[in-house]
Amino acid sequence: MSGETIALIMSGLLLLGLFMGHPLAMVLGGTAVLGAVIAGKPMVLGIVINRIFGDVLDNYVLIAIPLFVLMARFLSDSGVTDKMFEALRHLMSRVTGGLGLAVVFISILLAATTGIIGASITVMGMMALRPMLQYGYDKRLATGLIASSGCLGILIPPSIMLILMASYAPGLSVGQLFAGAMIPGVVLGLMYAIYVAAIAWFKPEWAPPVTDEEQISRGAMWRMLIVEAVPPLVLILGILGSLLAGIATATEASAIGAVLALLIVILRGRFEWRTFYSALLETGRTSAMILFIVVGATAFTGVFNITGGLRASQDLIRGLADDPYTLVAVMLLVVFILGMFLDWTGIVLLSFPIFLPLVSEMGIEPLWFVILMAVVLQTSFLSPPFGYALFYMRAIAPPEVQTTDIIKGVLPFIGLIIVMCAMIILFPGLVTWLPATLYGG
């Protein structure tokens, strides 16, 4: 059976399983088994199993995933985010659109301390959505801003997605990806803030300021901000500082983050054995889900490669583009479309084995391309019909907010993500400058 035929069959089975509503990990693993049998090569499953044990279960870098998830749970229990939002809300209370700006800046801090999208959106939604609506914020602006800002966690380090990308991108370390994503992530967050400020300037009725009665003295406001800003800043410096300075590996930095987060919980008097056990249990569930998908995707790509489907897919993409930039545009378009139906885990694990050899073959900088993909993958949470951020917002939004309001609200931010991609293409130094400064090359 030709590679083109097996590629069509396995792709069809994958889509069929997903549209039938089966879990992604099961669909990937099941398609791998069926693909091997249909291709008449069931013996390749033994090779795939060896690859799973060698490339996945023995991958030291992936230990960072459960540790960062545990850190995120500890921070959620500590109440740091609630206090930080309250402090920033008072700081910007005199500014039109200040509440929206506070959402953006807190989301950037959340991204730099948790990297868990569901947690970031849920926490910000619970804290900020009702106050924003009560102060007269437009429903589309409020929901779109919270959903989009919460997605910064997969781009701004420490990001679980970047850790997974590093483990599947030959020659790239977690530190390089963290450094490469730092500037684009912060710049994208600032673009969100500029958009909110522009909306507040041209349409002040969409983002009004807080009433005078709720404002506090500047002294109390700054004391609150300093007290509440110190713990997350220490955490960020502990993680990223130790990693980027070369003191610790990604796995060791994740352990530092988990310990510091636990200390914050204890120092705030929020430690309870019940919540500690709950955090461990939730960490186990989340990590198992991610690693289960990794195992399924490894099986799928292994069979896809051995049976010739991978080569056929690469030949197809080569035929669509002659020059490197057109090739990159085609790949990004594929990722954008996949993002409407799959989450980032499946997209990364399915696309990297196909895209990265082509990127290397065309002489494209791998670090630049991977970060460009990371930026585009934020749309996978925002793009209907299956954007996870849309479902998170729908779950916490009050009844007066319609699903159409949420979808319309995220569209401008999807546009800003595309603008950010264009900026990275025009100015590659946004990605490459910091890694070159820290690591050379």
Side-chain angles (χ1 to χ4, degrees):
M1 186 176 293
S2 68
E4 291 78 6
T5 303
I6 196 62
L8 286 173
I9 291 174
M10 292 187 68
S11 299
L13 290 172
L14 179 63
L15 292 174
L16 178 63
L18 291 174
F19 281 114
M20 288 177 67
H22 297 299
L24 177 60
M26 297 292 189
V27 173
L28 289 168
T31 302
V33 174
L34 290 175
V37 172
I38 292 171
K41 298 180 180 180
M43 70 289 297
V44 305
L45 293 174
I47 301 174
V48 169
I49 291 172
N50 288 333
R51 182 181 171 191
I52 289 172
F53 276 96
D55 295 347
V56 178
L57 300 183
D58 285 344
N59 193 332
Y60 180 70
V61 174
L62 294 181
I63 299 174
I65 292 178
L67 288 172
F68 276 130
V69 173
L70 181 62
M71 181 189 74
R73 282 307 310 262
F74 284 156
L75 283 176
S76 177
D77 295 337
S78 72
V80 168
T81 310
D82 305 31
K83 299 293 185 181
M84 279 292 295
F85 177 73
E86 190 67 18
L88 274 180
R89 184 173 75 85
H90 286 298
L91 177 65
M92 300 180 179
S93 60
R94 295 171 173 80
V95 180
T96 302
L99 198 55
L101 295 175
V103 168
V104 176
F105 294 136
I106 287 295
S107 295
I108 292 175
L109 280 174
L110 273 177
T113 52
T114 63
I116 309 296
I117 302 305
S120 297
I121 295 175
T122 303
V123 167
M124 287 309 307
M126 297 294 289
M127 287 191 305
L129 184 56
R130 285 195 179 275
M132 292 175 80
L133 296 177
Q134 289 171 1
Y135 288 126
Y137 271 67
D138 181 78
K139 292 183 289 187
R140 291 166 294 180
L141 176 62
T143 54
L145 178 63
I146 292 171
S148 305
S149 299
C151 292
L152 291 171
I154 65 167
L155 182 60
I156 296 177
S159 161
I160 291 175
M161 182 180 73
L162 295 177
I163 295 171
L164 193 61
M165 283 180 161
S167 67
Y168 281 85
L172 295 179
S173 67
V174 174
Q176 287 176 304
L177 290 187
F178 277 10
M182 191 83 69
I183 294 176
V186 174
V187 169
L188 185 58
L190 294 177
M191 288 170 63
Y192 291 169
I194 292 170
Y195 173 74
V196 172
I199 289 291
W201 177 267
F202 291 107
K203 292 187 176 181
E205 69 277 8
W206 280 29
V210 176
T211 59
D212 293 336
E213 291 77 14
E214 295 204 35
Q215 295 179 3
I216 62 175
S217 67
R218 290 187 179 274
M221 176 181 64
W222 282 107
R223 280 195 300 273
M224 181 186 295
L225 184 64
I226 292 172
V227 170
E228 302 304 336
V230 168
L233 289 178
V234 169
L235 186 64
I236 293 169
L237 291 175
I239 299 170
L240 299 182
S242 62
L243 180 61
L244 298 180
I247 299 173
T249 64
T251 306
E252 293 162 349
S254 65
I256 292 171
V259 171
L260 289 177
L262 180 58
L263 287 176
I264 292 173
V265 174
I266 294 171
L267 292 175
R268 284 181 170 270
R270 303 288 289 268
F271 180 83
E272 294 180 4
W273 285 109
R274 178 172 51 83
T275 55
F276 180 75
Y277 173 75
S278 176
L280 294 177
L281 194 63
E282 188 62 31
T283 298
R285 287 173 178 164
T286 304
S287 303
M289 178 190 69
I290 294 173
L291 295 176
F292 200 4
I293 294 174
V294 170
V295 169
T298 302
F300 179 91
T301 54
V303 173
F304 200 63
N305 182 18
I306 295 172
T307 55
L310 186 65
R311 176 192 52 77
S313 300
Q314 291 173 337
D315 290 342
L316 175 63
I317 295 176
R318 285 192 193 95
L320 295 175
D322 295 326
D323 65 280
Y325 284 102
T326 306
L327 181 71
V328 169
V330 170
M331 292 177 179
L332 295 182
L333 180 61
V334 170
V335 170
F336 181 80
I337 294 173
L338 288 175
M340 298 180 183
F341 306 100
L342 296 175
D343 68 355
W344 63 264
T345 316
I347 296 172
V348 169
L349 296 176
L350 292 176
S351 63
F352 266 36
I354 299 173
F355 290 169
L356 290 185
L358 292 176
V359 165
S360 179
E361 179 184 305
M362 298 290 283
I364 299 170
E365 169 59 50
L367 174 64
W368 173 82
F369 175 77
V370 170
I371 298 302
L372 192 56
M373 267 194 66
V375 174
V376 175
L377 278 169
Q378 290 199 83
T379 63
S380 68
F381 286 90
L382 301 173
S383 302
F386 297 123
Y388 285 97
L390 306 179
F391 295 113
Y392 292 138
M393 286 305 305
R394 179 64 274 168
I396 61 178
E400 63 267 23
V401 176
Q402 304 296 318
T403 303
T404 53
D405 294 325
I406 301 173
I407 294 174
K408 290 178 181 177
V410 301
L411 293 180
F413 295 96
I414 293 176
L416 290 175
I417 293 171
I418 295 172
V419 171
M420 186 70 238
C421 291
M423 290 175 60
I424 292 175
I425 291 172
L426 294 173
F427 307 104
L430 289 170
V431 170
T432 58
W433 175 76
L434 187 57
T437 302
L438 294 173
Y439 299 100

